[in-house]
Amino acid sequence: PAVVVATGGKSVPRTGSTGDGYEWARAAGHTVTPLYPTAVPLVLDDPAIADRSLQGISLRDVTLTLHDPRGKRLTTERGDIVFTHFGVSGPCALRVSHYVSVARRKLGDVPLRLDIDLFPDRSQEDLMREIGSQAAAEPRKTVKTLLRRLLPDRMVPLVLERSGISGETTGAHLPKAGLAALVRLLKALPFTVTGTRPLEEAFVTGGGVSIREIDPRTMASRLKEGLFFAGEVLDVHGHTGGYNITIAFSTGYAAGTAAARLALGRSGE
């Protein structure tokens, strides 16, 4: 008398989550919105990624700002990231991935700009004063040495190259324009996002059974009596993993309770 579909999404198929529930929903007359990966690492197109010079570097408490091709800000997220052989992962990058997937579905196969603010709690003026003061206090120290106090060693050559400053430039010879360019990069180090890792590698599946066709009080189908849906098979997902677990538990409880009441009512118990 009652069937609950709680088969999950199509992410991580080795766990058995192969998307069967979507086909069952379609067979029952439901709309299934397009599936896409979310909570998934980002793919970057950059020489520093291609040569793996950044691979394995972890950055704590940075912000990532995603822009569309016209420069419009799509989101800003804050947290930890780690560079990989294909791009960037970590909690902060996973939160940005939703916006990457949505933008590319809407705009097509276009590159997006990702800016990393390495010091989100500090202004450009603060950083200019700090680096300028250090350069003045230690005029014989190279810029490369000064930057190593702020950044992981393997990031220093990248920042210097993009700022147009030689690492061997001493503090005494650091031009004001060069210092300004350097600080701008510390506050917005740009990378090009060309996509995400595939759905099979995502933690969460975006899209699914349209919630317009579901009663939110009971998770019952509005199209077929006795049919209920719960969890990631639905077109709903949260900003982080904890929210997705909460969605699964909440909708599972609502669907299970309503389905049990329906079944018990039909059996006369």
Side-chain angles (χ1 to χ4, degrees):
V3 173
V4 179
V5 178
T7 53
K10 205 170 181 179
S11 309
V12 200
R14 66 178 179 274
T15 64
S17 183
T18 53
D20 295 334
Y22 301 123
E23 298 308 316
W24 301 343
R26 287 191 182 99
H30 277 278
T31 302
V32 177
T33 61
L35 307 181
Y36 60 92
T38 184
V40 65
L42 307 179
V43 177
L44 306 182
D45 181 16
D46 190 277
I49 300 298
D51 66 17
R52 303 195 177 191
S53 59
L54 299 181
Q55 184 176 349
I57 294 177
S58 296
L59 299 177
R60 300 290 302 275
D61 196 25
V62 299
T63 61
L64 301 182
T65 300
L66 184 72
H67 302 270
D68 71 9
R70 294 184 177 182
K72 178 183 176 182
R73 186 182 70 85
L74 301 178
T75 189
T76 297
E77 306 292 338
R78 183 166 177 169
D80 302 343
I81 63 171
V82 58
F83 288 101
T84 69
H85 65 283
F86 55 78
V88 65
S89 187
C92 190
L94 298 186
R95 292 198 294 273
V96 171
S97 67
H98 162 78
Y99 300 92
V100 172
S101 291
V102 170
R104 289 173 64 81
R105 284 173 57 208
K106 180 180 178 181
L107 303 174
D109 188 17
V110 296
L112 306 169
R113 191 178 89 242
L114 184 73
D115 290 340
I116 303 178
D117 184 345
L118 299 166
F119 300 94
D121 289 329
R122 305 180 66 181
S123 67
Q124 289 193 27
E125 291 74 18
D126 289 340
L127 290 170
M128 291 229 4
R129 279 194 295 269
E130 178 180 340
I131 298 173
S133 296
Q134 290 183 359
E138 303 176 274
R140 295 185 180 181
K141 293 284 187 182
T142 63
V143 177
K144 177 170 61 178
T145 300
L146 297 176
L147 278 182
R148 283 175 175 164
R149 299 172 182 174
L150 296 172
L151 301 173
D153 283 358
R154 286 192 287 134
M155 287 198 72
V156 172
L158 172 68
V159 172
L160 287 172
E161 179 185 353
R162 293 192 179 186
S163 66
I165 300 173
S166 167
E168 302 308 315
T169 301
T170 61
H173 295 89
L174 178 60
K176 189 172 182 179
L179 175 59
L182 188 65
V183 169
R184 282 196 297 270
L185 286 172
L186 297 180
K187 292 293 292 178
L189 186 62
F191 289 89
T192 299
V193 180
T194 56
T196 69
R197 297 296 286 178
L199 181 57
E200 291 76 19
E201 296 181 27
F203 287 100
V204 178
T205 303
V209 178
S210 174
I211 57 175
R212 294 181 179 180
E213 301 166 355
I214 304 296
D215 183 340
R217 296 166 299 178
T218 61
M219 307 313 297
S221 166
R222 297 186 189 274
L223 308 181
K224 192 172 290 289
E225 186 180 2
L227 180 60
F228 301 81
F229 292 92
E232 201 171 338
V233 72
L234 294 162
D235 181 13
V236 57
H237 66 272
H239 198 48
T240 62
Y243 288 113
N244 289 286
I245 293 172
T246 301
I247 289 167
F249 288 159
S250 310
T251 58
Y253 178 85
T257 302
R261 285 174 177 161
L262 177 64
L264 291 171
R266 286 193 175 183
S267 67
E269 298 178 12

